[in-house]
Structure formats: C-alpha cells, structure tokens
Amino acid sequence: MMRRIPAAAALCGLLLLTSCARLLPENIPSAPPGEALCLKFVQEKLTGEDGGVHTNFLPGEPGGELAAGHEVLLESQGLLMRYYARTGDRDRFSRAFDFVREELDSGEILSYRLDGEGRRYPVNAAVDDLRVLRALLEGEERFRERSFGEQARQYAARLYSTNVQDGLLLDLYDESYKQAGRSCTLCYADLGTMHLLGRSDRRWEKAAGQMERVVAGGFLGEAFPFFHSRYLPDEGRYETDTVHMAEGLLTVLHLAEVNACPPETLRWLRDTLADGPIYGEYTPAGEPVVDFESTAVYALCARIGYESGDEELARLAMERLSALQVGDEASPVYGAFADPQSLAAYSFDNLNALLALRAWAEWEAGSR
C-alpha cells in the first residue's frame, strides 16, 4: 500500500525509485484462469498491430463526443502499461508506450485520444497523463531502466507547465488555444502519482497537498460517503449533477493510495456489496439513477479494498466482478468482461478488470 511521501523524499529523485521504496511487489505470481482469459482477449481482440488498444471490440463511428469503436485513448495505454509493469512483460510494455510516443505525443501535450482515422485530438486530460507517468515510474523499477523514469520526469515537467495553475491540477489543456480549462474534476487528482513525482520536483508535492484538500472539501456526507464531481476554482464551489460511480470510485481509489480513504466509504461499499449490486450512477443523496452494473465499478471497488487492506471488500467486489466475465467458449468475446448479447466489450472495463485480477493474484500469493 502506498503511503504519504514526506517532502524530504524529493532527495531521492536522482536515484532509481527502487532505491527509495518499492512501487511493485518483487515477486510476480502466475495469472489465474480468469486473468489469463481476459488478457488473451485484450491482446488478441482489443489491441491493434500498432500497439494501440481499441476503445471497444465493436467498430464504431469516429468523431463523436465520446470515444467509440476502434479509437484509442491515452487512458487505455496507461492502464495497459501499468498492467505489463506489474507482470514484468517488458516487450509489451514498450510496445504500448511506443504507441503513446509515436501517435499521442504532439510535442506539447499527450493527446487524450486518437480517432479511428488516425487524427490526434489537440487536448490532454490530466488524469490520463498521470496514469502514463505512474506506469513509466513502475516500468523504471520493474525493468531497471532509468530511461523510463527520465521520460516520466520530462513529461511531468511539461504537464505541470500546462495543467497546474496556483497549485491546482486543471482538467485539460487545449494546445490549439494554448489554454487550460478552468475546472478540477476530483477523480483526476491522482494523489499517489503526484506525490511520487514530488520526489524529484517539489512543485508536485505541493500540488498534491493542495489537491488533497480540494478533494476532501468535496465530501458529500456520511449518508452517501462519496465526493462531488468537480471543483470550480474561479467560483470557489463544487458541482455535481449525478455521481457516476466509476469516476466516484476512482476518486476514492486515489485517496486509498495515500491512506486517506474515509472509513465511511469503505463501510458503505462493504454493506452495499453484501446486500446486492452497486449501480452505475447515483444522486448526491445516494439514490440510484440507473439499474445497470459496471465491470469497472467492481474492479475499482476491489482495488480500493486491496489498497485499504480491506479483505472483505476486495472479496465481495471480486465475486461481483467474476460473474460478469463471459464464459461461453463459442462467443466472440469469450474471456472478456462484456455484454454477451450485443458483444460490446470496452477497454476501460477490461483493463480495470485486469488490474483487479492481477492485484487479487498478488494478494493470494502474499506479494502485497
């Protein structure tokens, strides 16, 4: 479990991260059947020959507001890189990162999205950048290659210059307009990664502290112990229409990684999972808005359990997660976390499932 990194740890920035504190378990347990099947689907059905992970197994029309079909998101590349760092697969780690460098790096930003026609969007998303930076730091440790860490620190300096203002991590930067957006989406505050970057650049440590205060200030209350969606710094207020649980749980995961997860939240997750499903969207008062379940929601719940040392929460979430994996060997999406009727299989669901399954394997092997 990651702990808060003191400011003095910045002195370690010139050394390999392995000489400061391990980010990954030293031992790499073999993949259990569920993980192996999902990985096979991701590698053979979602990943293109160029190393880019398609947003969906099904083709779709490019150019919509939300990525679809065979578009590629930086989000997906970062998640897959983190998985390969955990499993020690250097070749595939490098291939996923090569796609980032060759297709998504404009020289000024890392684009959050490449459409199906190969067009790079001129906008970044801070949370996606931080995920790639975390993967590079983990790759530096796992593969003992300083070049990955050096690349992370170069990207981090660039991200700070575009997306951090007055100590606040702003959601996006548009290189066409040379301007950052004026909102802080709380799930974008990847506090653990920001603290890690603070080892070599103290500005990130200060920004992490500032963003942790922003996140804490967005707590909705004990009745529904999650967080507002975003903070508007120019107006000094929080804003939430409904709580999309994948985003809400990502906020909680980031808190858990720095040992700051509210105990009320862990209790709510345990109690809800013990009684039934967690739905994909809620009102700020905690009333379900939809009646569907999400693979990513259960995967994030499991990872929160691992990071918090809450074995019951992790177990309950993994039971729900496992039930969503397609077990029909005749299905084109066999092994995926997908809708077996429509065949929709999303990268975000499957990559988060892979990370949860990997954490489960590490937990059972006593590696965590």
Side-chain angles (χ1 to χ4, degrees):
M1 184 186 304
M2 185 181 299
R3 301 298 184 190
R4 179 71 57 77
I5 302 168
L11 297 176
C12 296
L14 297 179
L15 304 174
L16 280 174
L17 291 173
T18 48
S19 67
C20 302
R22 291 200 64 84
L23 303 181
L24 303 175
E26 187 171 1
N27 298 322
I28 304 175
S30 59
E35 180 184 350
L37 284 174
C38 182
L39 179 61
K40 179 179 174 66
F41 175 81
V42 168
Q43 290 176 342
E44 296 183 0
K45 301 290 186 69
L46 278 187
T47 306
E49 294 183 1
D50 56 7
V53 182
H54 298 158
T55 301
N56 193 344
F57 169 69
L58 298 172
E61 292 297 325
E65 181 178 350
L66 298 177
H70 291 177
E71 296 185 331
V72 177
L73 295 173
L74 182 65
E75 168 186 82
S76 302
Q77 299 305 116
L79 288 168
L80 190 59
M81 287 170 63
R82 291 201 66 191
Y83 178 80
Y84 286 139
R86 299 200 80 87
T87 58
D89 192 332
R90 188 205 177 283
D91 288 344
R92 286 191 169 93
F93 178 93
S94 296
R95 187 168 173 238
F97 179 48
D98 285 344
F99 186 93
V100 173
R101 288 191 298 185
E102 295 167 8
E103 303 295 341
L104 294 169
D105 185 356
S106 75
E108 183 176 8
I109 62 168
L110 293 179
S111 169
Y112 89 99
R113 177 179 173 187
L114 191 78
D115 74 14
E117 303 299 323
R119 292 185 293 263
R120 185 173 57 227
Y121 281 61
V123 177
N124 73 1
V127 66
D128 298 340
D129 284 58
L130 289 171
R131 193 179 288 111
V132 168
L133 299 183
R134 177 72 158 271
L136 287 168
L137 295 176
E138 290 171 342
E140 177 183 36
E141 178 189 285
R142 174 66 78 202
F143 308 118
R144 295 188 176 275
E145 291 193 33
R146 187 179 179 86
S147 62
F148 290 136
E150 290 174 346
Q151 184 68 76
R153 289 180 276 276
Q154 291 173 16
Y155 280 156
R158 195 171 71 180
L159 178 65
Y160 191 96
S161 69
T162 56
N163 288 68
V164 180
Q165 295 179 13
D166 300 321
L168 296 175
L169 181 69
L170 301 175
D171 291 350
L172 58 87
Y173 180 84
D174 189 321
E175 65 178 347
S176 298
Y177 295 96
K178 309 299 181 186
Q179 187 173 356
R182 295 300 300 171
S183 64
C184 303
T185 296
L186 269 57
C187 70
Y188 281 27
D190 184 346
L191 301 169
T193 301
M194 294 169 74
H195 281 298
L196 287 171
L197 296 172
R199 292 178 173 186
S200 56
D201 184 342
R202 292 176 183 269
R203 298 177 304 169
W204 278 110
E205 182 68 21
K206 293 178 180 178
Q210 178 79 340
M211 289 306 300
E212 188 169 336
R213 288 188 289 274
V214 168
V215 172
F219 188 61
L220 288 170
E222 293 187 12
F224 186 60
F226 291 90
F227 296 82
H228 280 288
S229 299
R230 66 193 63 82
Y231 175 69
L232 305 176
D234 295 338
E235 301 174 32
R237 66 178 180 89
Y238 293 89
E239 181 180 73
T240 301
D241 296 323
T242 59
V243 177
H244 295 272
M245 288 303 285
E247 295 181 357
L249 289 165
L250 187 57
T251 300
V252 174
L253 176 62
H254 291 154
L255 289 170
E257 288 184 325
V258 295
N259 201 26
C261 180
E264 302 95 328
T265 308
L266 297 176
R267 184 166 54 249
W268 188 96
L269 292 171
R270 282 195 308 271
D271 291 348
T272 304
L273 285 169
D275 291 339
I278 292 177
Y279 296 111
E281 192 173 345
Y282 289 80
T283 69
E287 296 297 324
V289 175
V290 297
D291 61 359
F292 65 79
E293 299 172 73
S294 163
T295 294
V297 162
Y298 294 134
L300 289 166
C301 285
R303 293 174 65 196
I304 290 164
Y306 303 138
E307 293 295 340
S308 302
D310 192 323
E311 184 174 0
E312 181 183 2
L313 171 56
R315 178 182 56 79
L316 288 168
M318 289 303 297
E319 289 173 356
R320 289 277 176 180
L321 177 68
S322 298
L324 298 178
Q325 190 167 23
V326 178
D328 179 3
E329 295 185 22
S331 172
V333 292
Y334 172 56
F337 291 84
D339 182 337
Q341 279 73 48
S342 70
L343 303 183
Y346 295 98
S347 58
F348 187 73
D349 283 333
N350 283 276
L351 295 171
N352 273 288
L354 273 181
L355 287 170
L357 290 161
R358 174 78 333 218
W360 182 257
E362 292 167 357
W363 186 296
E364 290 198 315
S367 300
R368 296 180 69 80

